[in-house]
Amino acid sequence: MRKKIVAGNWKMNNTLQEGLALTFRIIDLLKEKPVPDVKVIVAPPFTSLHPICELINKEGYVHLAAQDCHQEKSGAFTGEVSSDMLFDLGVKYVILGHSERRQYFNETDAQVLAKAEAALDVGLRPIICCGETLEQRNKGKHFAAVKKQLKNSLLKINPAEIAHVIIAYEPVWAIGTGENATPEQAQEMHAFIRSLVKRKFKKEAANTISILYGGSCNSKNAKEIFSQPDIDGGLIGGASLKAEEFVAIVRAV
Ligand code: PEP
C-alpha cells in the first residue's frame, strides 16, 4: 500500500508569526475533519522550523520538512544547514533538488544524491524532485531529461534505503505558472518513473514508493490529478500558503 502525501513547500515566504498562524490554521482544519489516510507535511523556511516543530509536536496532524540541506555533516560552509542539524530539531523530511535550487543555485544531480545520502544517514526522508523544462518537453525529450536526473541521483541510492525516499515529479514549466500538467501527462511520467525504480530496485520498491506531482496544483485541479493510478499526492507551492486551499488539496487525495 503506497502512502498518500501532500507536502506544502512555502519557499522563501512567511515570517515566523505568519508561519505559526498558517500551521495553526491547517491543524485546526484537519482537526475539524481529519484526513487520516494522507500524510500532511509543511516545509517552512529554516528560520521557522524550530517553533513550528514545537507546535506540531504539541498538536499533531502535520509533519515537518526542510526545503534543503547541505551534504556535509559540519564544517566551514557559511550559510548552510546540515541534515544532522535538521534531524536534531525534529524535522522528518527534506525537499532536495527542487528546480529553483537547480536553476538559481546550480545544484547538480550529484549534489542531490550526496544530500539525499546525508539525509538518509541521519534518518531524514528525502523528497527528491525531478522534472523537465518546457524546451525539453517541446522537443519530446522529457522522458530522457527526467531519466538523466534520476539516473544520477535517485537510482544511485543504496537499495537498503530506497524505502525511505519520496519522489516529486515537478515539470519546470508548470511550477508557479498556473499551467499544470494534464492528469494524463503527469500519469505518463509517474508511470515512467515507477518503471525506472522497478528496473533498478526490487519490484516491491516500485510498488511502495510514493511519487508526488507538483506544478500549479490547486483545489480545483487536484482531484483529477490525484485520481491517476501512479500519482500518490502532491508537492504544493503557491497553494500551500493559504490554509483553506492547502487543506482542500489534502482532501482531494
Ligand atoms: C513547487 O515549487 O514545488 C510548486 C509545485 O510550486 P507551485 O505549486 O506554485 O507551482
Side-chain angles (χ1 to χ4, degrees):
M1 197 37 191
R2 296 204 296 269
K3 190 75 205 159
K4 302 283 184 189
I5 299 168
V6 175
N9 173 15
W10 295 1
K11 313 192 185 193
M12 197 172 71
N13 291 295
N14 288 330
T15 61
L16 173 56
Q17 289 316 315
E18 289 164 346
L20 280 169
L22 174 56
T23 311
F24 214 87
R25 184 72 188 130
I26 292 169
I27 290 170
D28 259 2
L29 290 167
L30 293 172
K31 256 189 205 169
E32 265 169 44
K33 198 173 158 214
V35 192
D37 297 341
V38 183
K39 193 170 282 273
V40 181
I41 301 173
V42 293
F46 287 131
T47 48
S48 303
L49 285 173
H50 183 50
I52 290 180
C53 187
E54 289 190 324
L55 174 62
I56 286 174
N57 283 346
K58 192 163 146 251
E59 301 285 337
Y61 293 92
V62 172
H63 302 264
L64 194 60
Q67 297 174 20
D68 187 30
C69 71
H70 195 264
Q71 60 268 35
E72 297 296 334
K73 275 206 178 321
S74 61
F77 302 100
T78 302
E80 294 294 325
V81 173
S82 74
S83 55
D84 249 349
M85 294 167 182
L86 295 172
F87 189 74
D88 182 51
L89 273 191
V91 174
K92 299 279 188 286
Y93 301 84
V94 59
I95 299 170
L96 295 175
H98 190 281
S99 66
E100 286 152 16
R101 298 231 36 105
R102 294 174 188 264
Q103 184 181 349
Y104 303 127
F105 304 97
N106 302 318
E107 204 160 284
T108 63
D109 296 327
Q111 270 174 300
V112 174
L113 172 63
K115 289 177 177 200
E117 286 171 340
L120 289 164
D121 261 2
V122 298
L124 274 181
R125 296 189 62 182
I127 302 173
I128 297 182
C129 303
C130 61
E132 80 284 359
T133 62
L134 185 58
E135 196 189 348
Q136 288 165 332
R137 178 160 283 266
N138 286 342
K139 285 184 175 160
K141 296 195 167 151
H142 42 296
F143 291 115
V146 168
K147 185 175 179 179
K148 182 164 174 280
Q149 285 178 330
L150 295 182
K151 198 171 152 217
N152 295 319
S153 56
L154 176 90
L155 300 180
K156 289 193 172 159
I157 297 275
N158 178 348
E161 297 281 12
I162 194 66
H164 301 121
V165 176
I166 296 160
I167 305 169
Y169 167 58
E170 300 204 305
V172 180
W173 49 272
I175 295 181
T177 59
E179 189 192 344
N180 59 284
T182 63
E184 295 72 26
Q185 285 172 324
Q187 163 58 26
E188 189 180 41
M189 186 60 85
H190 281 231
F192 175 69
I193 294 169
R194 206 176 292 288
S195 75
L196 295 178
V197 174
K198 188 173 172 187
R199 211 173 306 155
K200 172 74 196 195
F201 302 101
K202 290 206 173 101
K203 191 172 162 201
E204 198 199 326
N207 288 341
T208 53
I209 200 162
S210 295
I211 310 180
L212 315 183
Y213 168 78
S216 296
C217 192
N218 58 42
S219 59
K220 294 199 174 63
N221 59 28
K223 205 168 186 63
E224 215 189 331
I225 294 173
F226 296 160
S227 68
Q228 300 297 314
D230 285 290
I231 300 182
D232 306 308
L235 178 55
I236 316 298
S240 72
L241 298 173
K242 297 236 161 30
E244 279 73 10
E245 177 71 5
F246 183 59
V247 172
I249 295 171
V250 172
R251 297 197 195 291
V253 174

